Amino acid sequence: MSEFRIHHDVNELLSLLHVRGGDGAEVYIDLLQKNRTPYVTTTVSAHSAKVKIVECSKTPEDFLRKYDELKSKNVRNLDPLVYLLSKLSEDKETLQCLQQNAKERSEASGNVTSSTSTSFAIPQTSTKMSMQELEELRKKLGNVTASSNVPQSAEVTRKMLRDRHNKKNPTQPNPVFPNWVYDRPALIGDFITGATPAGDPAVAVGTMPLPAQEQALVDDLLFVLIGVDGRDITAQPVLGRQNRSFIVDPSLDMSIKELVNRILPVASYYSTITRFTEEKSSFEYGQVNHALTAAMRTLMKEYLILVTQLEHLHRQGMLSLQKLWFYIQPTMRTMEILASIASSVDKGDCMGGSTLSLLHDRTFNYTGDSQAQELCLYLTKAASVPYFEILEKWIYRGIIKDPYSEFMVEEHELQKEKIQEDYNDKYWDQRYTITHQILFLIYLNVVRECGRDVTCPDAKEILYTLKERAYVEQIEKSYYYASKVLLDFLMEEKELVARLRSIKHYFLMDKGDFFVHFMDLTEEELKKPVDDIVPPRLEALLELALRMSTANTDPFKDDLKIDLMPHDVITQLLRVLAIETKQEKAIINADPTEVALSGLEAFSFDYIVKWPLSLIINRKALTRYQMLFRHIFYCKHVERLLCNVWISNKTAKQYALHRAKWFAAAFALRQRMLNFVQNIQYYMMFEVMEPTWHIMENNLKSASNIDDVLCHHTSFLDNCLKDCMLTNPELLKIFSKLMSVCVMFTNCMQRFTQSMKLDREMNRLSLEHGTMEGPPTQSERTVEQEKKRLTSKFLAEHMDALQSDSCFEATISKFDSNFSTLLLDLLDKLSVYSTNDCEHSMINIIYRLDFNGFYTERLERMAIERSQKASA
């Protein structure tokens, strides 16, 4: 059982038992995976488990009847279920819990049954029912019983199967037999019920002498054995999937009647087989059932030849009832097995692989009976031919040609282009789905869809055998060949690793000079609100930056595109994490934020990936790359803002010392912020992404199939997201606040620096001094007056930026306090996660930011307070 199936079954069981709270499903799943033993249920263990349940059951007959019914339908995993139930019957605590749960469920559904019951106008018990009323009641009850027990007619079943097939394959409708095939019952070869029996009904067979009775019954039996009613032996109508029964003249001598009753089961078997072969040979039931019925008809020919020979002996007067019994006994076992298989296939509504599974189980179970096993082996080989033809095309060429939907793998039409557009599009999961838990191949189909026809060089005809290892060897050879073909195709012809390196250059900021050029060119454009940005202008600037940097040597640079996202990186992350969860609809339908995004907050790169590389670099992978890029890109933006503050603050050197000294606290805070942002960037790029990238690159060299490539690539992205704090909402929230404080600080410093420049310009303009050549001319005065007017207007609009020294000092102190508090909180949380969750890579951030032990004392104090709260 696969890990996914274990998760699904455990969650379903907890849901059915209404188990809430506790340790959750993961605890039980871990226990099951650690303690499970493969192939624990054998024939012996299943039999002993059945005996154990019968011993402790209050209604053992009902249990055995239900078990036989399910066994006849070839229900999967029946024996493992019985084994599990026997183990549960030994656990008193579990039994008590299940009994209590069953009691609650029965009480909850107690009021539902009354609405579905059929009511009749039955007279009160105090009045005496007349014979007419009693007869009417008997008819009503008989009609209800008949209507509830009669299954769907063969015609309805065929129409349902035909409609289902035509819905899946509208271009390839099922062939249909003409109506006269079904309208003429005499063509079927089975009993025609309701016909008048041949012979003189006035003479009772019991009044004849014994030799005459015997000859009359031999004559009747020869007719009944080929599906025709006799004079004294008539077939009863069958209802649904019942076995055929017969009525023998009651006046018949008891000795003859006993011998007749021994022979009649053969006629019942013949009727069952004939009805099965006629019904299942229709196209609606698939090629496997058609091949099975053809094999049964071949075997039935030998039976009909035997009956014909017995008829010839009877005409010569050489066939007695005893001789008939003697000649028919060897055939009885064959007919019984054929009828049993026909009934099981019919009851289980088996088609395709399920029919073969039933035949395989029967063949394996007849290990001690060589004749029966040989017969089942013949039927299984014949029925498996069309199925194995489909299997050969699938494993050797990656093609599914399954007109009747019998194969274990079902093909779905998907657009390959959607893989690079839809986040949730799962090509590997949805292109082909498994109808049974059997190994399947998809690799060759991928190569075939790229226009290359491939065929496995080790292709051999697959024949049915009881040695299952033979199938495994053939499928493994095809699997390894298909894996190698697709892996070489993507790695060499499609240059997968080179593509990944190209994505790394841009999304993980591998090309430093390119980003310097790009941010210099787009800085003013990205400061605008996202609605005011013209994407073609950004595309043109991107093209210019690519041509002016070392990225110009990248052969895939033209696949890089601009993408303006509708959400900031945190909202995007939450939406991605909520996919396929209960919170998905709530987040998708939530009202958009009223705060307009700037270009910097919405900016991201996108990348054009074509088939078949989109199997690896799909929309899920690109979304992960985008989140990493947007995270680093915003850090780089904040770093540039802090560096610009450092440049603009050089103006303070031009002022008196008493004015410049108030900038000391701001200079120190700016340097702490810059140290934080640069160290975070260094950690993400050189301690997380680069080592993880080299690990992935080495793993890709040793990958043996595309599943390994997908696994290594996904693992690389997941590890980067986790170690960059993007999968932890708590850490991400603190980090986002720290970035916001840094941005607000830079804005404040820029406004203050601008106010000082304006103040200095006003002083300069107020002097109105001349030049070295003399007093200012009239034109110079006019220009000077215009500058003064514009400067005064600007000052009036930004008067709030002019602050006193005391206000400035208080503002810087508040920024310092907020930044220190958030940074300590981040370091404290990182310390907790690195200790409790074994996220050892995150502790490197603490070592970098607290390199001189500046925060050590306060972190220790916070750890002590946390432990005190936990103990209290």
Side-chain angles (χ1 to χ4, degrees):
M1 184 181 290
S2 65
E3 185 177 351
F4 170 79
R5 188 59 184 266
I6 293 175
H7 279 72
H8 172 76
D9 290 346
V10 169
N11 284 305
E12 284 291 317
L13 184 59
L14 293 178
S15 175
L16 289 173
L17 296 177
H18 303 288
V19 176
R20 298 181 178 87
D23 297 327
E26 295 299 329
V27 176
Y28 303 108
I29 292 168
D30 291 340
L31 286 173
L32 285 173
Q33 290 178 335
K34 290 177 181 177
N35 299 313
R36 62 175 174 170
T37 304
Y39 312 114
V40 68
T41 307
T42 61
T43 305
V44 177
S45 63
H47 177 72
S48 61
K50 185 169 62 172
V51 172
K52 191 177 297 182
I53 294 176
V54 167
E55 290 175 352
C56 64
S57 174
K58 295 180 180 179
T59 56
E61 296 85 2
D62 294 340
F63 168 76
L64 290 174
R65 191 182 305 110
K66 191 66 177 177
Y67 177 85
D68 292 337
E69 177 186 348
L70 296 175
K71 197 69 175 176
S72 67
K73 293 182 178 180
N74 195 36
V75 174
R76 290 180 173 274
N77 299 322
L78 177 61
D79 288 338
L81 176 62
V82 172
Y83 184 81
L84 173 63
L85 292 176
S86 69
K87 289 296 182 182
L88 291 176
S89 64
E90 299 174 356
D91 191 336
K92 295 183 179 180
E93 184 178 353
T94 305
L95 276 178
Q96 186 177 0
C97 178
L98 292 174
Q99 288 171 356
Q100 180 64 26
N101 184 269
K103 183 179 178 182
E104 293 174 357
R105 291 167 64 89
S106 62
E107 291 175 354
S109 60
N111 297 327
V112 179
T113 55
S114 59
S115 61
T116 59
S117 61
T118 305
S119 59
F120 300 101
I122 301 177
Q124 297 181 0
T125 56
S126 58
T127 61
K128 187 176 180 181
M129 296 179 65
S130 64
M131 292 301 296
Q132 184 178 359
E133 292 175 338
L134 187 62
E135 184 64 21
E136 290 178 357
L137 179 60
R138 185 188 66 79
K139 289 181 179 179
K140 289 181 178 180
L141 291 173
N143 291 335
V144 171
T145 305
S147 62
S148 62
N149 291 333
V150 173
Q152 293 179 335
S153 65
E155 176 60 31
V156 174
T157 304
R158 285 195 298 270
K159 186 178 184 303
M160 182 182 65
L161 292 172
R162 191 161 54 244
D163 292 342
R164 186 173 65 183
H165 170 82
N166 293 339
K167 186 176 180 181
K168 288 185 178 180
N169 305 287
T171 59
Q172 297 178 348
N174 259 334
V176 182
F177 283 134
N179 291 332
W180 58 264
V181 174
Y182 307 108
D183 294 340
R184 300 183 181 182
L187 296 176
I188 297 176
D190 194 17
F191 296 92
I192 303 176
T193 57
T196 304
D200 185 7
V203 181
V205 69
T207 61
M208 299 179 181
L210 284 178
Q213 290 186 34
E214 183 177 356
Q215 289 302 312
L217 265 296
V218 168
D219 193 48
D220 273 10
L221 284 172
L222 289 175
F223 278 110
V224 170
L225 289 175
I226 57 173
V228 180
D229 281 330
R231 194 193 71 160
D232 302 305
I233 303 176
T234 56
Q236 288 285 85
V238 292
L239 190 64
R241 297 186 172 106
Q242 294 178 355
N243 293 325
R244 179 79 68 181
S245 59
F246 299 90
I247 297 177
V248 182
D249 192 321
S251 64
L252 191 65
D253 185 79
M254 291 301 297
S255 61
I256 297 177
K257 190 175 183 179
E258 176 65 26
L259 200 53
V260 167
N261 287 333
R262 292 184 187 179
I263 301 174
L264 282 178
V266 181
S268 178
Y269 300 150
Y270 171 82
S271 176
T272 300
I273 298 167
T274 302
R275 281 181 285 128
F276 174 80
T277 54
E278 288 297 328
E279 180 183 353
K280 302 300 181 182
S281 61
S282 298
F283 294 104
E284 292 83 359
Y285 292 96
Q287 299 178 90
V288 172
N289 284 343
H290 187 81
L292 175 61
T293 57
M296 284 187 171
R297 281 198 174 107
T298 302
L299 295 173
M300 289 290 288
K301 287 180 181 178
E302 299 179 4
Y303 168 78
L304 293 174
I305 290 172
L306 172 64
V307 176
T308 303
Q309 292 173 347
L310 293 175
E311 176 69 23
H312 183 67
L313 290 175
H314 178 56
R315 287 178 181 178
Q316 294 177 351
M318 301 173 58
L319 184 65
S320 64
L321 198 58
Q322 288 288 346
K323 285 185 178 181
L324 177 59
W325 170 240
F326 173 77
Y327 287 126
I328 207 71
Q329 279 187 75
T331 312
M332 181 176 283
R333 178 60 175 160
T334 300
M335 298 293 287
E336 181 184 5
I337 294 172
L338 293 178
S340 174
I341 292 174
S343 298
S344 298
V345 173
D346 195 25
K347 288 180 181 179
D349 294 324
C350 298
M351 289 180 61
S354 57
T355 299
L356 293 180
S357 297
L358 186 146
L359 291 171
H360 174 75
D361 291 342
R362 289 297 180 91
T363 306
F364 189 79
N365 291 335
Y366 284 133
T367 303
D369 189 343
S370 59
Q371 180 184 357
Q373 188 177 48
E374 185 178 353
L375 176 63
C376 290
L377 189 61
Y378 168 77
L379 292 175
T380 310
K381 285 183 177 180
S384 64
V385 170
Y387 191 87
F388 283 156
E389 288 177 355
I390 303 173
L391 180 62
E392 287 174 13
K393 290 181 180 178
W394 171 236
I395 67 174
Y396 294 146
R397 301 187 61 193
I399 299 173
I400 291 183
K401 190 174 181 180
D402 182 21
Y404 299 100
S405 302
E406 298 175 280
F407 195 47
M408 58 189 172
V409 181
E410 188 175 1
E411 185 175 12
H412 303 278
E413 290 295 332
L414 289 179
Q415 296 181 6
K416 301 185 289 291
E417 294 77 11
K418 291 189 69 177
I419 299 176
Q420 61 194 46
E421 298 173 3
D422 295 342
Y423 184 89
N424 267 334
D425 200 87
K426 303 174 182 177
Y427 181 86
W428 295 103
D429 299 332
Q430 296 178 357
R431 181 67 171 91
Y432 297 98
T433 56
I434 311 172
T435 56
H436 304 297
Q437 296 298 324
I438 306 176
L439 177 67
F440 71 101
L441 299 174
I442 187 175
Y443 302 144
L444 290 179
N445 181 267
V446 174
V447 180
R448 185 173 56 83
E449 289 189 358
C450 294
R452 294 179 55 180
D453 190 17
V454 288
T455 304
C456 180
D458 298 324
K460 295 180 182 178
E461 183 182 5
I462 300 178
L463 300 174
Y464 175 76
T465 175
L466 288 175
K467 298 177 181 179
E468 297 180 3
R469 185 62 195 171
Y471 301 123
V472 177
E473 291 175 355
Q474 284 180 277
I475 292 176
E476 281 182 348
K477 288 180 181 178
S478 304
Y479 174 78
Y480 292 135
Y481 169 75
S483 302
K484 187 177 185 303
V485 167
L486 181 57
L487 186 64
D488 294 343
F489 180 70
L490 291 181
M491 288 292 191
E492 297 174 7
E493 188 170 333
K494 296 299 180 179
E495 301 178 286
L496 175 62
V497 177
R499 281 280 182 178
L500 292 174
R501 288 199 191 101
S502 175
I503 291 176
K504 178 174 177 280
H505 292 333
Y506 310 115
F507 286 86
L508 305 185
M509 295 193 176
D510 198 8
K511 296 286 186 182
D513 62 325
F514 159 71
F515 277 98
V516 171
H517 283 299
F518 179 74
M519 297 185 80
D520 287 341
L521 291 170
T522 60
E523 185 172 13
E524 292 301 321
E525 187 71 17
L526 292 177
K527 285 181 180 179
K528 300 177 183 178
V530 67
D531 295 334
D532 297 339
I533 294 177
V534 182
R537 187 179 301 168
L538 280 180
E539 294 282 357
L541 295 175
L542 171 63
E543 181 73 15
L544 184 61
L546 287 170
R547 304 301 176 189
M548 292 172 59
S549 64
T550 56
N552 192 37
T553 59
D554 182 12
F556 310 115
K557 61 181 179 296
D558 293 332
D559 291 331
L560 186 66
K561 300 298 177 184
I562 297 292
D563 191 10
L564 295 176
M565 310 294 288
H567 312 284
D568 56 37
V569 65
I570 297 179
T571 305
Q572 182 192 13
L573 179 67
L574 293 176
R575 289 171 69 91
V576 171
L577 292 176
I579 286 177
E580 296 182 353
T581 64
K582 295 179 180 179
Q583 293 80 20
E584 181 177 11
K585 289 185 178 179
I587 292 179
I588 291 176
N589 297 329
D591 294 333
T593 177
E594 296 180 358
V595 180
L597 290 177
S598 67
L600 286 162
E601 293 171 321
F603 177 77
S604 180
F605 282 141
D606 201 359
Y607 202 85
I608 299 175
V609 185
K610 296 181 181 179
W611 175 266
L613 289 174
S614 53
L615 290 171
I616 308 298
I617 313 170
N618 49 35
R619 178 48 55 186
K620 279 188 176 182
L622 284 175
T623 303
R624 290 183 173 99
Y625 278 116
Q626 284 182 333
M627 288 189 292
L628 288 167
F629 168 76
R630 296 180 72 186
H631 190 53
I632 306 172
F633 182 77
Y634 197 72
C635 290
K636 186 68 70 174
H637 164 64
V638 174
E639 181 190 11
R640 286 171 65 90
L641 290 178
L642 290 169
C643 291
N644 289 337
V645 169
W646 176 79
I647 295 172
S648 62
N649 282 351
K650 289 183 178 180
T651 311
K653 297 180 179 180
Q654 302 174 13
Y655 299 96
L657 183 61
H658 73 278
R659 182 68 180 271
K661 67 180 182 180
W662 299 111
F663 284 89
F667 291 167
L669 178 58
R670 184 211 66 229
Q671 191 59 36
R672 286 174 57 207
M673 290 180 175
L674 191 60
N675 177 70
F676 166 72
V677 174
Q678 288 177 339
N679 276 286
I680 285 290
Q681 287 185 80
Y682 182 90
Y683 161 76
M684 290 191 295
M685 298 181 70
F686 295 100
E687 294 188 12
V688 174
M689 295 178 185
E690 280 298 327
T692 313
W693 168 267
H694 285 297
I695 291 173
M696 181 192 72
E697 208 169 21
N698 291 331
N699 289 336
L700 290 181
K701 294 177 182 177
S702 60
S704 59
N705 54 55
I706 294 302
D707 289 330
D708 291 344
V709 174
L710 271 170
C711 181
H712 296 321
H713 186 227
T714 304
S715 177
F716 159 71
L717 291 171
D718 289 344
N719 288 334
C720 288
L721 288 169
K722 180 187 66 175
D723 291 339
C724 290
M725 301 179 289
L726 289 178
T727 58
N728 190 313
E730 191 173 9
L731 292 176
L732 190 61
K733 184 178 179 180
I734 299 172
F735 184 82
S736 176
K737 288 180 179 179
L738 277 167
M739 292 290 102
S740 298
V741 170
C742 293
V743 173
M744 292 169 65
F745 170 77
T746 59
N747 293 337
C748 177
M749 291 299 298
Q750 291 290 3
R751 285 198 304 269
F752 197 87
T753 303
Q754 186 69 20
S755 68
M756 289 190 299
K757 289 181 179 179
L758 292 174
D759 191 20
R760 182 187 176 196
E761 184 67 16
M762 283 292 295
N763 293 332
R764 187 186 67 80
L765 293 175
S766 62
L767 294 176
E768 296 184 353
H769 58 274
T771 63
M772 294 286 293
E773 300 176 356
T777 63
Q778 184 61 34
S779 61
E780 289 176 342
R781 286 182 180 275
T782 303
V783 173
E784 200 72 22
Q785 287 289 341
E786 183 64 19
K787 286 184 179 179
K788 187 173 182 180
R789 187 183 66 80
L790 293 175
T791 305
S792 299
K793 181 181 178 181
F794 190 84
L795 279 173
E797 293 175 354
H798 297 80
M799 188 59 66
D800 57 338
L802 297 175
Q803 304 177 18
S804 63
D805 291 348
S806 58
C807 293
F808 175 69
E809 183 179 7
T811 302
I812 297 302
S813 177
K814 187 175 181 181
F815 276 122
D816 194 332
S817 175
N818 291 339
F819 180 78
S820 299
T821 302
L822 290 171
L823 183 57
L824 280 170
D825 195 14
L826 178 65
L827 295 177
D828 183 53
K829 291 291 190 299
L830 288 172
S831 177
V832 172
Y833 286 121
S834 62
T835 304
N836 297 345
D837 298 344
C838 299
E839 302 294 346
H840 301 302
S841 59
M842 289 186 180
I843 205 169
N844 294 338
I845 304 177
I846 302 177
Y847 294 146
R848 286 197 154 273
L849 297 177
D850 191 26
F851 62 95
N852 58 357
F854 181 75
Y855 301 105
T856 302
E857 183 179 350
R858 278 183 280 185
L859 286 173
E860 291 176 352
R861 193 184 312 125
M862 293 174 70
I864 293 173
E865 292 175 359
R866 186 170 55 250
S867 62
Q868 289 176 350
K869 289 180 181 180
S871 61

